[in-house]
Amino acid sequence: MTGKPYTYALAIIVIQTVIASAISFGDALMYRPGQEYRSLNSGSYEIGIQKNGRLDVGFSTGEPVFLNAFPMVWIDGEKEAKAARLDGRLSNRFEVNDAMGRGQGMRIQYKQNLWTLNSYPTKPYLTVQSSYTNTSKKPVKIKQLIPWAIGEPKKGVIDLGENSLNSLILENALANTPAKRTTRESNSANMITVVNEATGRNLVMGFLTQEQSYGSIDIAGRDVDEKEPHTLDYMRATCTYDPPITVQPGETLFSEVLYLAIAETEPLLAMERYAKGVAVTNHIPVYEKTPPHTVWVNQGRSTADELAVRIDNTMANFTKTFPIDKSKQLVLELNLHNDTEFIRQLSDRVRQQGFQFGFVENPFAFISESSLVKEHPDWFLSIPNSPGASNRLIDVTNPAAQ
């Protein structure tokens, strides 16, 4: 391979984020009832492995995200990439402990094809990698490895709920040229963001590495099933080797590592988490550890006095629950209304209990009554079923909003 792929251009905003979620488990997710052979679960999503080695991925509540996913390989000399044959019965679990976190993984294989899935119980994402081992006696040239494919030649869907077909798609967000917003069909280098305004669900999909190949993501609604008119039905996460890589007998060629964020609630935070994943995977030292004792609080509709009492009670309960290990974080939410005297008193109150005092803010959420939202309503998306006042999110797919 001549030359090196262009490097990632990353603009990373460090935002300390703590997510607490209540988890409920529904029925097993299956594309073909009765065909699921094994499953791999995390706190927020479930991976169903069919006997033929293909995957169904959805929320633990049973809502689908990807149905009938599979890897592909393009051998030089053939007309096109072909689905890599796999066997769900030839699968095995393993423990995951890598730069993205700790969790459980699954290897699915058949002869020369291997598909590796890494899931992380407390994270909203999974990672995927495919590989090709030359089991023949002659060299084989590989043009493409595709670790994630939906549709053509296998039927499958990408489902973000109602009206997924018209989801907003942000492409080429890491390019030097302005990012482009599309619907229904998109091709993007390295990563892509999909936002369904109707449901508030979103996807961030991109390659964490770019060592031997050029990555691209294609997604589209092409031959949409009339019975499922709201879904997208085509995706390719492609690693292209230019020129093709020669794999000698007994050698193995690995695809780049693909990142799939399926359980994020806010698209900009999802994109930042992907950027952090790229950074930690490629050993870019840009992040610091969170302070050991931190109190973050949200005033909500409480008065200053009511909030102070609530904080006292919360800190007391926290100290009682964790009397020895105070490195655990106490997290509340706080909207302070520029009351500097109250901030000072609150800071003193928190410090007296042995905690550090700090602020955390979601810079992407706005209240509907704000002047910016009123002046530029097309810059924002509504947050379905938002319990708080900040119920508008910046539309990351709108160039003007960026």
Side-chain angles (χ1 to χ4, degrees):
M1 182 175 182
T2 58
K4 295 182 178 180
Y6 62 88
T7 57
Y8 285 101
L10 298 176
I12 301 176
I13 303 172
V14 180
I15 302 175
Q16 296 169 328
T17 308
V18 178
I19 301 177
S21 61
I23 303 169
S24 60
F25 293 87
D27 296 331
L29 182 76
M30 282 179 276
Y31 180 71
R32 294 179 177 179
Q35 296 298 311
E36 183 177 301
Y37 182 70
R38 305 190 71 173
S39 64
L40 187 64
N41 301 323
S42 80
S44 56
Y45 60 84
E46 174 180 318
I47 302 172
I49 302 170
Q50 302 175 30
K51 289 183 179 180
N52 58 19
R54 293 178 220 147
L55 300 182
D56 303 323
V57 183
F59 297 113
S60 299
T61 55
E63 298 173 276
V65 179
F66 297 109
L67 294 179
N68 222 27
F70 56 96
M72 304 182 75
V73 59
W74 189 346
I75 298 176
D76 191 30
E78 296 184 349
K79 293 183 178 180
E80 59 186 3
K82 295 182 179 179
R85 185 177 177 182
L86 295 167
D87 191 331
R89 295 169 296 182
L90 301 178
S91 59
N92 60 84
R93 297 177 186 272
F94 65 95
E95 184 177 352
V96 174
N97 186 7
D98 58 22
M100 300 302 295
R102 297 178 64 93
Q104 293 292 321
M106 186 73 74
R107 298 184 184 95
I108 311 169
Q109 64 184 100
Y110 182 80
K111 294 185 178 180
Q112 69 269 31
N113 302 310
L114 175 64
W115 205 14
T116 304
L117 319 169
N118 290 358
S119 68
Y120 306 89
T122 61
K123 308 297 183 182
Y125 54 77
L126 63 145
T127 61
V128 183
Q129 189 175 35
S130 64
S131 67
Y132 177 91
T133 299
N134 185 359
T135 58
S136 70
K137 296 181 179 180
K138 296 181 180 180
V140 175
K141 289 186 176 181
I142 302 298
K143 295 180 66 173
Q144 291 181 350
L145 287 178
I146 303 174
W148 198 263
I150 299 286
E152 295 180 15
K154 312 297 181 182
K155 181 180 178 182
V157 298
I158 304 102
D159 192 344
L160 294 178
E162 181 183 358
N163 202 32
S164 292
L165 188 61
N166 293 316
S167 297
L168 303 175
I169 304 172
L170 180 66
E171 64 181 37
N172 294 326
L174 296 180
N176 294 325
T177 56
K180 180 182 178 181
R181 180 171 66 171
T182 65
T183 58
R184 297 192 177 223
E185 186 166 4
S186 177
N187 170 265
S188 185
N190 296 310
M191 65 87 64
I192 199 167
T193 301
V194 185
V195 181
N196 186 350
E197 185 178 5
T199 62
R201 290 170 56 183
N202 62 86
L203 293 174
V204 171
M205 302 169 285
F207 288 101
L208 295 176
T209 60
Q210 194 173 174
E211 298 173 353
Q212 291 184 291
S213 65
Y214 297 91
S216 63
I217 310 288
D218 293 83
I219 190 169
R222 293 186 174 179
D223 186 20
V224 179
D225 190 335
E226 292 182 358
K227 296 179 181 179
E228 298 175 336
H230 61 283
T231 58
L232 297 156
D233 62 355
Y234 180 87
M235 179 183 168
R236 294 289 187 271
T238 304
C239 301
T240 300
Y241 304 94
D242 186 16
I245 293 285
T246 299
V247 184
Q248 297 293 339
E251 290 185 345
T252 299
L253 178 64
F254 291 90
S255 75
E256 308 298 340
V257 180
L258 179 67
Y259 174 100
L260 298 169
I262 64 173
E264 294 277 12
T265 57
E266 299 178 11
L268 273 178
L269 292 177
M271 292 171 69
E272 184 211 321
R273 201 189 305 271
Y274 164 70
K276 181 179 178 181
V278 173
V280 298
T281 300
N282 294 279
H283 308 291
I284 302 173
V286 294
Y287 287 88
E288 297 178 355
K289 292 183 179 180
T290 304
H293 317 150
T294 305
V295 177
W296 294 329
V297 290
N298 186 356
Q299 183 169 340
R301 299 183 180 278
S302 303
T303 65
D305 290 338
E306 290 171 342
L307 178 62
V309 172
R310 185 153 56 87
I311 289 175
D312 283 342
N313 293 336
T314 304
M315 286 192 299
N317 291 333
F318 180 87
T319 304
K320 182 179 179 181
T321 305
F322 304 107
I324 298 176
D325 184 7
K326 293 191 69 175
S327 64
K328 294 183 179 294
Q329 294 178 8
L330 167 63
V331 182
L332 304 169
E333 302 171 355
L334 180 58
N335 293 323
L336 296 173
H337 303 294
N338 300 318
D339 187 341
T340 55
E341 177 59 23
F342 176 69
I343 293 174
R344 185 190 64 78
Q345 294 177 7
L346 184 60
S347 175
D348 290 343
R349 187 187 302 268
V350 170
R351 292 177 189 277
Q352 287 172 6
Q353 296 294 330
F355 294 97
Q356 294 182 12
F357 182 81
F359 297 100
V360 63
E361 182 182 12
N362 179 358
F364 315 125
F366 292 76
I367 60 174
S368 57
E369 291 78 15
S370 69
S371 58
L372 190 63
V373 174
K374 291 181 177 179
E375 291 173 9
H376 303 281
D378 57 317
W379 288 7
F380 298 88
L381 302 174
S382 61
I383 307 176
N385 304 317
S386 173
S390 299
N391 56 4
R392 294 292 185 275
L393 281 179
I394 295 176
D395 179 3
V396 298
T397 68
N398 188 331
Q402 294 176 39

